[in-house]
Amino acid sequence: MINMITFLSLILLVVMTQITMVSSNNKKRTRHHSGSSGSLDNEGPLPQECASVESTSSSLIKARALQSPPAKAQRKGDFESVDFWIQHETLLKDAWLEYGPKVPQLYNYETDNRTSTFHERFEQDYIDPKLRDVVNNLVQTSSRQTTGIGAEDKDVKNQAIFESTPYQIASGVYALPNLFTKKFCQDMVRELNHLNDAGIPVRRPNSMNRYGLILGEVPGLKANLDHVVQKYVIPFALHLFPESAILSDLVESYAFVVRYADGEDLDLAVHRDSSVITLNVCLGETFEGGNLGFESWDERDQFRYSHTLPPRNETVSFEPGMTILHRGAQMHEALPLKSGKRVNLIIWIHGKDGHVRYAPYEKDEQEHYSVAWTK
């Protein structure tokens, strides 16, 4: 009898122990709330909750934790620390998406430029309204001529306005005074300062400039500018430099920002760009000095590869809001900045896969700028 009681006691003890363990485990897996903060107990969230939290915040946190390699080379720095940037490319893009924009209308997240259009406010806010109206009328005229409807029509007035918009400020260098609005420059500077505060590693923009930003590495930031290039810049390029480019030479672009400031880059040595045509916009901010030096253009210059400018050098005072257009082959330099900070938006326009053609076109090979609106 005693043995039977002992046996039953043992069974009861085992059962109670199991109940206690289950109760303890359930307690560990119970989520406890403290007011509206949703704080968890000391055991933390469930595994699936951990995955959810990590998926919404880890890209930015991980990107900020990376040790960004310093940019050192002032020439031939294209492949500096290239393994780091390749390894973390996806993480960095996810981090930018998570961080988000300050000025949303600068962005366009459509990935196919053949079907996408400007952000609904970009062209309205950032392209000079008079130029926008002129180009829209010329686009419509070109479309009618292509379809055979009203093919005899020629918008002479708008053609004259378009063709007279750029003016030469140095040999081979043209200013486009009515392309971007003042608001565009201001909003770009605001956005760039916002991105600079993100704590996300930023790659050097090109082989010579060490400080700035590659716009294509921030999702959505380059797409609207691609439309500006296609609709406005390429027609101007074909009009101003008919012997240097036809439409097939201008199908891709590389957009980036460079920054000159005390403790960073102050100048840029004589060079030519990796482009057929270069667009350069002075976004600001406040500075003294930093003029641009250009070698006077001569057709023979594009085949000469010296890195010293002859006495024919011409200087351009680069003021905030100013936009210039020149051949990538034209030798030029950024003269020393004396004080302040200067930020430039630069777009290199070239052929497919970065192809840059140097040989000039004969007269019968050149293309009228209207082909940019019909092909």
Side-chain angles (χ1 to χ4, degrees):
M1 184 70 177
I2 294 175
N3 291 337
M4 179 61 69
I5 292 173
T6 303
F7 177 74
L8 291 175
S9 298
L10 289 172
I11 293 176
L12 181 61
L13 179 62
V14 170
V15 171
M16 291 301 294
T17 300
Q18 292 294 324
I19 291 173
T20 301
M21 291 174 64
V22 170
S23 175
S24 176
N25 287 336
N26 285 338
K27 183 178 180 180
K28 291 179 180 180
R29 296 175 63 84
T30 301
R31 183 169 182 143
H32 297 275
H33 295 271
S34 175
S36 62
S37 65
S39 63
L40 303 179
D41 65 4
N42 291 335
E43 297 299 330
L46 302 179
Q48 60 267 33
E49 291 170 331
C50 285
S52 176
V53 171
E54 184 177 4
S55 66
T56 59
S57 63
S58 64
S59 294
L60 185 55
I61 292 172
K62 288 180 179 179
R64 285 171 168 169
L66 293 174
Q67 186 65 40
S68 180
K72 297 180 180 180
Q74 292 182 290
R75 279 195 183 278
K76 300 181 180 180
D78 313 56
F79 298 102
E80 193 173 55
S81 307
V82 65
D83 291 341
F84 173 89
W85 301 108
I86 292 175
Q87 178 184 353
H88 299 295
E89 180 180 3
T90 300
L91 171 64
L92 295 175
K93 286 189 175 182
D94 290 343
W96 286 122
L97 286 169
E98 185 180 335
Y99 183 65
K102 186 177 186 68
V103 187
Q105 61 265 35
L106 286 170
Y107 290 75
N108 184 340
Y109 295 99
E110 290 285 342
T111 57
D112 189 346
N113 287 330
R114 296 170 298 178
T115 58
S116 67
T117 59
F118 282 112
H119 183 287
E120 59 183 4
R121 289 181 55 188
F122 188 97
E123 196 171 14
Q124 177 182 344
D125 288 353
Y126 299 143
I127 301 297
D128 179 86
K130 292 182 180 179
L131 178 62
R132 185 178 67 235
D133 291 344
V134 165
V135 170
N136 284 336
N137 287 332
L138 290 175
V139 169
Q140 293 176 5
T141 300
S142 299
S143 177
R144 290 197 301 269
Q145 291 174 344
T146 301
T147 58
I149 301 174
E152 70 285 352
D153 293 344
K154 287 188 177 180
D155 195 339
V156 178
K157 179 180 178 181
N158 283 311
Q159 281 184 354
I161 295 173
F162 178 84
E163 293 171 7
S164 63
T165 293
Y167 62 91
Q168 187 164 278
I169 55 176
S171 176
V173 183
Y174 293 84
L176 299 177
N178 298 323
L179 181 55
F180 292 111
T181 62
K182 183 177 180 180
K183 180 176 173 58
F184 171 76
C185 296
Q186 293 172 338
D187 281 357
M188 276 296 294
V189 169
R190 286 176 58 211
E191 188 64 26
L192 292 169
N193 289 335
H194 169 68
L195 297 176
N196 193 51
D197 292 338
I200 299 172
V202 174
R203 188 175 185 176
R204 63 182 302 152
N206 58 57
S207 64
M208 296 178 69
N209 291 98
R210 296 175 296 167
Y211 301 93
L213 177 72
I214 301 171
L215 269 59
E217 296 194 349
V218 180
L221 189 53
K222 181 175 178 285
N224 283 317
L225 291 172
D226 287 340
H227 290 299
V228 173
V229 169
Q230 293 166 7
K231 186 173 181 179
Y232 296 93
V233 182
I234 289 177
F236 277 126
L238 294 176
H239 170 55
L240 296 171
F241 313 114
E243 79 293 340
S244 296
I246 60 174
L247 192 59
S248 61
D249 298 316
L250 307 172
V251 296
E252 294 180 359
S253 64
Y254 177 70
F256 57 95
V257 169
V258 297
R259 185 174 68 244
Y260 297 90
D262 187 37
E264 299 182 345
D265 291 331
L266 293 175
D267 56 16
L268 197 65
V270 178
H271 64 284
R272 54 167 48 91
D273 296 334
S274 299
S275 67
V276 178
I277 301 296
T278 292
L279 180 80
N280 193 337
V281 185
C282 183
L283 299 175
E285 300 176 17
T286 303
F287 59 89
E288 291 184 9
N291 290 339
L292 302 182
F294 285 89
E295 179 178 347
S296 299
W297 177 255
D298 186 299
E299 291 299 334
R300 296 167 296 179
D301 291 346
Q302 57 192 323
F303 303 108
R304 188 166 54 76
Y305 292 91
S306 70
H307 287 286
T308 56
L309 288 177
R312 296 181 298 149
N313 184 28
E314 299 180 59
T315 301
V316 173
S317 179
F318 210 22
E319 303 295 335
M322 188 174 182
T323 300
I324 64 173
L325 200 64
H326 62 86
R327 300 171 182 85
Q330 186 165 0
M331 302 289 286
H332 58 286
E333 63 183 328
L335 301 174
L337 191 74
K338 295 179 180 178
S339 64
K341 179 171 73 171
R342 176 159 67 86
V343 181
N344 287 34
L345 166 65
I346 299 172
I347 304 179
W348 288 346
I349 310 171
H350 46 67
K352 186 173 176 56
D353 300 324
H355 178 73
V356 175
R357 175 190 168 108
Y358 284 115
Y361 287 98
E362 299 295 335
K363 190 71 175 178
D364 60 351
E365 298 176 302
Q366 298 172 14
E367 294 180 339
H368 190 265
Y369 59 82
S370 61
V371 301
W373 299 315
T374 60
K375 291 185 180 180

